[in-house]
Structures are given as C-alpha cells and as structure tokens.
Amino acid sequence: MSKESSKAQEPQIEEAVEAQIEVETQDEAQAVTFDTSLMDELTQANFRVEELEQALAAAEAKVAEQKDSVVRAAAEVDNVRRRAAMDVEKAHKFALEKFANELLPVIDNMERALQGTNAEDEATKAVYEGVELTLKSFTSAVEKFGLSQLNPQGEPFNPDHHQAIGMQPSEEFPANTVMMVMQKGYLLNERLLRPAMVMVSQGGGVDTQA
C-alpha cells in the first residue's frame, strides 16, 4: 500500500475509533444510569418495607393493648356480678333481721308464761298446754326463715355467742362452763342476732395440792 493511500485511510480509521469510543461511552453511561435507578428503587423499597414493618408493629401493639383492656373489662364485669350476687344473697338472708328482733320478746314472754304455770296443776294446765302449743308453732315458723335458738346450758363458754353476766363456784360444772342460762340467744342464718345471757362456772373446791 502506498503512503498516499495510508494517509487517505487515517481519517476514516480515526472516525471509526471515535465512533466506537462514543458508543462504548454511551453504553457505560446508560449502564450507570440503570444502576443508579435500580439503587433508587431498592432504597425506596427498603424504606417502604421499614414503614410497613413499623406500621405492623404498631398495629400488633394496639391489638395487644385492646386485648388486655378487654380481658380487664371482662374480669371487672365478673367481679361486679359476683359482688351483686353476694349482696342479693345477704339481702335475702338478713332482710328479716329487724323483724326477727321484734319477735324475740314475744318468744321470751311465752317462755316466761310456761315457767309461771304448771302442767300438773289443773288450774293452769289448759293455759300451759295452750302457750306451749303456740310457742312450738311460733318457733317452728321462724326457724323456716333461718332463726335458730342458743340455749348453751352445760356447754363451754363461747364469747362469740354468749354474754356472761357473772361467774360462780360450782361443784357440778367445770370451770368456764355455762351453768345457767338467764336469757336464750338467737342466730339468724348462722349470724348472731342476740347473745345468750349466761352465768359461768368457776369450777368447784380449793386446790389443796402443794
């Protein structure tokens, strides 16, 4: 090849090289642009995932809080129902307390009437039998409503149910034993309505042992 031909082809070669370089540069620029766009999309996706995770955690915390509130509310309702049921039960049991207290003197008077008459005496026999029958019917009726009698003759003294009006020596009864009932006591549904008034034994004899 002559020198003239080589010189004539040099511009063409340079143009081809420059064109190839330009194409490669454009490809690299597009690749960089693509990588940047992909990174931006990935970054946005990560931010979105974090936002969703935070929203999910907040929702789960809210659900747990509401569940706890529901459990506490249900427990409180159950307690209120239980207290209400107990109040109703107590009201049923002790609604007659005031009325029963008014009946006790009537029972006491009928028992005194029996003590003042004699079933063996013809003059008072009819009265005794009538009062006795009335007293039995009366006490049977009030027992149906939870009223029960305390007559602790010969029983150990119980300060929860008995009221001691005095103590006396006794050979017949051991110490701290009810030796005499001055007035009977009463319970209403196992709750003390009136204590029994009693005389308590101190026991008998003097200890002569050294």
Side-chain angles (χ1 to χ4, degrees), residues 23-194:
V23 169
E24 291 177 355
T25 302
Q26 290 178 352
D27 290 343
E28 290 177 356
Q30 290 177 353
V32 170
T33 302
F34 176 76
D35 290 343
T36 304
S37 300
L38 180 60
M39 290 297 296
D40 290 342
E41 291 179 0
L42 290 175
T43 302
Q44 292 178 359
N46 288 333
F47 285 150
R48 182 58 178 165
V49 169
E50 291 179 359
E51 290 177 353
L52 292 174
E53 288 178 347
Q54 292 176 358
L56 178 61
E60 290 176 345
K62 186 67 175 177
V63 169
E65 180 182 354
Q66 291 178 345
K67 181 179 179 180
D68 186 59
S69 299
V70 169
V71 171
R72 287 199 303 268
E76 182 62 24
V77 169
D78 187 56
N79 289 335
V80 170
R81 287 177 177 172
R82 189 160 47 246
R83 287 195 297 266
M86 291 175 62
D87 290 341
V88 170
E89 183 180 1
K90 288 180 180 178
H92 286 163
K93 281 186 175 181
F94 306 115
L96 294 176
E97 183 172 350
K98 185 176 180 180
F99 179 64
N101 271 314
E102 296 295 328
L103 296 179
L104 297 186
V106 179
I107 297 175
D108 293 338
N109 289 333
M110 285 192 285
E111 289 180 342
R112 293 190 188 99
L114 289 178
Q115 294 173 0
T117 57
N118 188 349
E120 303 299 327
D121 189 346
E122 291 295 332
T124 59
K125 182 177 180 179
V127 175
Y128 182 93
E129 291 177 350
V131 173
E132 183 182 38
L133 181 60
T134 303
L135 179 60
K136 286 182 179 179
S137 299
F138 193 81
T139 53
S140 177
V142 296
E143 283 174 359
K144 294 178 182 178
F145 294 93
L147 190 68
S148 57
Q149 192 178 79
L150 291 173
N151 187 18
Q153 180 76 26
E155 297 179 3
F157 176 73
N158 180 0
D160 293 331
H161 289 167
H162 310 155
Q163 180 179 346
I165 61 173
M167 297 185 70
Q168 292 182 356
S170 174
E171 297 287 347
E172 181 180 358
F173 297 96
N176 296 320
T177 300
V178 175
M179 58 183 295
M180 184 182 302
V181 178
M182 315 302 292
Q183 185 182 63
K184 295 175 183 177
Y186 287 89
L187 299 173
L188 180 61
N189 291 309
E190 302 306 318
R191 187 169 76 175
L192 184 66
L193 188 62
R194 187 181 77 182

